[in-house]
Amino acid sequence: PLEPRILRSKIRFFLELDEQKKRLAATEERFRSTFENAAVGIAHVALDGRWIRMNPKFREILGLAPYMRVERSFIDTIHPEGLETDIDAINRLLSGALASYSVERRLLRRDATYIWVMLNVSVIRGLGGQIDDLIVSAQDISVLKEAKEAAESANRALTPDEVTNHD
């Protein structure tokens, strides 16, 4: 038979362990919910460019239904005009020269059209400090880019006689 003091100690230990498990489960649920319900696209990308997981908003940006498999790698979704710059930035991330980078970039959608996004890329480190994966976030800025292009086009269309000086 166990002494009452030892029995109380074991009961207390298991009650605390159960409470820790509940707190951990609540924390995991908060992070899962944040990932799944974020207003921006969030994805984890393996160091070889494979998509590990992406939230519904990122799938929407890329034109993917929830059940669709992602056919292209992260690098394959980047518009050719920005590819060299992004590969350089990713190499600098992996070497530790950069902590993160942000850039306006066009990404290839499932329907073969491109969408403008504000792309943010950083690393996910393991417990030992090693780089495990990349975390990529994307926000659709297509409407902003279209408005900017329309304004620039309208400004170019003005003749010098139509421009007035208000000094």
Side-chain angles (χ1 to χ4, degrees), residues 12-164:
R12 194 170 26 253
F13 170 80
F14 286 109
L15 289 173
E16 288 173 7
L17 183 61
D18 187 55
E19 187 59 35
Q20 287 176 355
K21 285 180 182 178
K22 288 177 185 175
R23 284 194 304 268
L24 179 60
T27 298
E28 288 174 347
E29 177 58 24
R30 269 193 305 279
F31 280 109
R32 187 200 61 75
S33 182
T34 298
F35 184 85
E36 294 297 323
N37 298 305
V40 298
I42 302 172
H44 294 165
V45 176
L47 298 181
D48 65 4
R50 287 176 299 106
W51 298 97
I52 297 170
R53 76 184 270 193
M54 64 177 65
N55 72 350
K57 187 64 173 182
F58 214 121
R59 294 183 78 76
E60 177 185 317
I61 288 170
L62 294 180
L64 297 168
Y67 58 87
M68 291 179 154
R69 221 178 86 216
V70 182
E71 299 293 332
R72 299 177 181 100
S73 72
F74 170 58
I75 294 297
D76 292 337
T77 65
I78 297 170
H79 189 279
E81 284 181 15
L83 188 56
E84 190 175 318
T85 303
D86 282 325
I87 289 173
D88 180 59
I90 290 169
N91 285 332
R92 293 178 65 211
L93 277 174
L94 298 177
S95 73
L98 285 178
S100 66
Y101 77 94
S102 300
V103 65
E104 291 182 357
R105 188 65 69 224
R106 286 177 284 177
L107 296 183
L108 183 61
R109 295 172 43 89
R110 181 176 177 271
D111 64 4
T113 62
Y114 283 94
I115 185 169
W116 278 102
V117 297
M118 174 54 75
L119 193 67
N120 302 286
V121 183
S122 58
V123 298
I124 300 173
R125 294 191 179 274
L127 294 176
Q130 77 284 1
I131 297 173
D132 286 343
D133 302 309
L134 301 176
I135 186 162
V136 179
S137 68
Q139 183 168 10
D140 181 356
I141 60 168
S142 295
V143 172
L144 295 172
K145 293 296 279 188
E146 289 168 8
K148 182 180 176 184
E149 288 174 17
E152 289 172 354
S153 178
N155 284 339
R156 284 190 302 271
L158 291 175
T159 64
D161 294 337
E162 295 171 314
V163 179
T164 59

